Amino acid sequence: MAGMDAFIDRLDPDMCVVTAAADGDRAGCLVGFACQCSIEPVRYVVWLSKANRTYRVARTADRLAVHLLTREQRDLAELFGGETGDRTDKFARVRTRREAGGAVVLEDAAAWFVGTVVSRTDGGDHVGFFLEPQTWGAREDTAQTPLLRLSDAVSISPGHPAD
């Protein structure tokens, strides 16, 4: 894979926090694999690691919330990327509210949307959750603030193993 690294190492995607709620449980994690994947109808895909607790909750969730963070919100990225929900209640340390269908929204996120899961696709060690946006919001005070990118978060040690 060394040849592919020359391509992948040039990428610097926006990072996001994905939250899931199902069966009385909730989870959230920092995600680097996510993007819009359709214009009409609008669709967005987030890829969750099978090793992650958020994936285990999301398997039965009918909606996920996707949140963008600014570079100044590294503390949120460290919480959702550097801690595991298997040992830490991440939500006890942040302001949240329930939105469409009980989805958990982080109130301090720069922007967010809740999407209905329209399909799931196995991609290897990650599963893609294809979402149809239902409701969304943004903080006006962060509209011109640069978003958190992979290069900003690369030093965060994962809360769970990558495999």
Side-chain angles (χ1 to χ4, degrees):
M1 277 308 235
M4 192 62 188
D5 288 344
F7 180 89
I8 292 172
D9 288 348
R10 294 178 182 212
L11 302 176
D12 195 17
D14 294 331
M15 302 296 288
C16 59
V17 171
V18 175
T19 58
D23 304 322
D25 201 4
R26 60 188 181 175
C29 65
L30 187 65
V31 171
F33 301 151
C35 68
Q36 183 176 346
C37 58
S38 176
I39 296 170
E40 184 59 43
V42 173
R43 294 281 190 269
Y44 197 86
V45 63
V46 294
W47 295 87
L48 300 179
S49 169
K50 292 177 183 177
N52 195 305
R53 182 172 181 279
T54 304
Y55 165 72
R56 294 191 306 270
V57 174
R59 285 185 304 193
T60 58
D62 60 354
R63 290 176 178 83
L64 301 179
V66 180
H67 308 80
L68 294 177
L69 305 178
T70 66
R71 288 183 179 154
E72 288 77 28
Q73 294 177 305
R74 185 179 164 89
D75 56 334
L76 279 174
E78 288 174 350
L79 175 62
F80 282 91
E83 300 286 337
T84 174
D86 292 323
R87 293 187 299 271
T88 303
D89 180 2
K90 301 174 192 182
F91 297 97
R93 296 162 53 185
V94 296
R95 296 180 326 124
T96 63
R97 71 173 178 277
R98 293 290 182 155
E99 278 290 336
V104 180
V105 170
L106 305 178
E107 290 192 11
D108 293 325
W112 60 271
F113 79 90
V114 173
T116 301
V117 178
V118 294
S119 67
R120 295 169 177 87
T121 299
D122 190 295
D125 59 2
H126 284 65
V127 171
F129 290 76
F130 291 80
L131 307 173
E132 178 180 339
Q134 297 296 306
T135 186
W136 47 84
R139 289 182 36 211
E140 292 299 320
D141 63 321
T142 63
Q144 300 302 313
T145 307
L147 295 176
L148 183 80
R149 301 181 72 82
L150 176 61
S151 59
D152 302 314
V154 72
S155 64
I156 298 172
S157 297
H160 66 82
D163 51 44

